[in-house]
Amino acid sequence: MDLSFSQDRCNLLGATLAVTINLLTIGIFLSRLTGRTALEHKIGIILILLVLPLIYLFISAYHLDRPRIYFLWIGLMISFLVVELLLDYVLKIPFREVRWQVIAYVMLFFGSTGGMLGVAGLAGRGWTLAAVTSFLVMAVLAFVQRHVTGM
């Protein structure tokens, strides 16, 4: 496998990750709405594993001389996935029951997924459209499932 840093390859990887993250998150929200917690857990693990290609993108950004905002976009997504891993899988903290913790979590979530729209935008108009559309669906489902399930 060629791991060299090509701008086109990294743009495509970033866009694919942005859309994939949104689709997996949609799957998590739909799993919560339908009471399928085992499926939600499995999708969450897949989502967290995406930290590996995100780290590749972060490292490649140095070699490709990306603007500073790119590091913020990728760094936020990596940070969110690490927080998600720690809160839900390692420490199993019931943070969704404390309002200020939920607000901080949601801010990080939307900051990170919103930043990935910028990453997707580097791959072209089609990828931007796919990322924005999946982001909007995901955002609506986030609030619907929060209202219905309280999670």
Side-chain angles (χ1 to χ4, degrees), residues 1 3-4 24 31 35 39 60 65 72 78 99 112 121 134:
M1 174 189 267
L3 294 177
S4 63
L24 288 170
S31 297
L39 179 59
S60 74
D65 199 28
L72 179 62
I78 291 170
R99 183 179 207 118
S112 63
S134 59

Side-chain angles (χ1 to χ4, degrees), residues 10-70:
C10 288
N11 289 347
L12 181 60
L13 175 60
T16 304
L17 284 170
V19 172
T20 301
I21 287 165
N22 291 342
L23 293 175
L24 288 170
T25 306
I26 288 168
I28 288 171
F29 295 151
L30 290 174
S31 297
R32 283 184 190 158
L33 283 168
T34 58
R36 299 167 73 187
T37 55
L39 179 59
E40 174 192 345
H41 184 79
K42 290 175 186 174
I43 294 171
I45 290 170
I46 295 167
L47 179 64
I48 289 168
L49 288 174
L50 293 182
V51 75
L52 299 173
L54 284 164
I55 290 170
Y56 172 82
L57 285 182
F58 195 87
I59 293 168
S60 74
Y62 286 105
H63 298 281
L64 297 174
D65 199 28
R66 298 280 192 185
R68 289 182 182 163
I69 191 74
Y70 186 88

Side-chain angles (χ1 to χ4, degrees), residues 47-115:
L47 179 64
I48 289 168
L49 288 174
L50 293 182
V51 75
L52 299 173
L54 284 164
I55 290 170
Y56 172 82
L57 285 182
F58 195 87
I59 293 168
S60 74
Y62 286 105
H63 298 281
L64 297 174
D65 199 28
R66 298 280 192 185
R68 289 182 182 163
I69 191 74
Y70 186 88
F71 291 93
L72 179 62
W73 293 336
I74 300 294
L76 276 172
M77 195 70 237
I78 291 170
S79 298
F80 170 74
L81 293 175
V82 169
V83 166
E84 179 69 18
L85 172 67
L86 291 174
L87 292 178
D88 278 343
Y89 292 87
V90 176
L91 302 174
K92 299 181 182 184
I93 297 173
F95 68 95
R96 289 178 180 89
E97 298 169 9
V98 180
R99 183 179 207 118
W100 73 265
Q101 291 174 352
V102 170
I103 291 170
Y105 176 83
V106 169
M107 288 173 55
L108 180 58
F109 170 73
F110 278 108
S112 63
T113 54

Side-chain angles (χ1 to χ4, degrees), residues 101-140:
Q101 291 174 352
V102 170
I103 291 170
Y105 176 83
V106 169
M107 288 173 55
L108 180 58
F109 170 73
F110 278 108
S112 63
T113 54
M116 291 303 291
L117 297 177
V119 174
L122 297 173
R125 186 179 182 106
W127 281 104
T128 302
L129 183 59
V132 168
T133 302
S134 59
F135 176 86
L136 291 174
V137 170
M138 182 236 3
V140 169

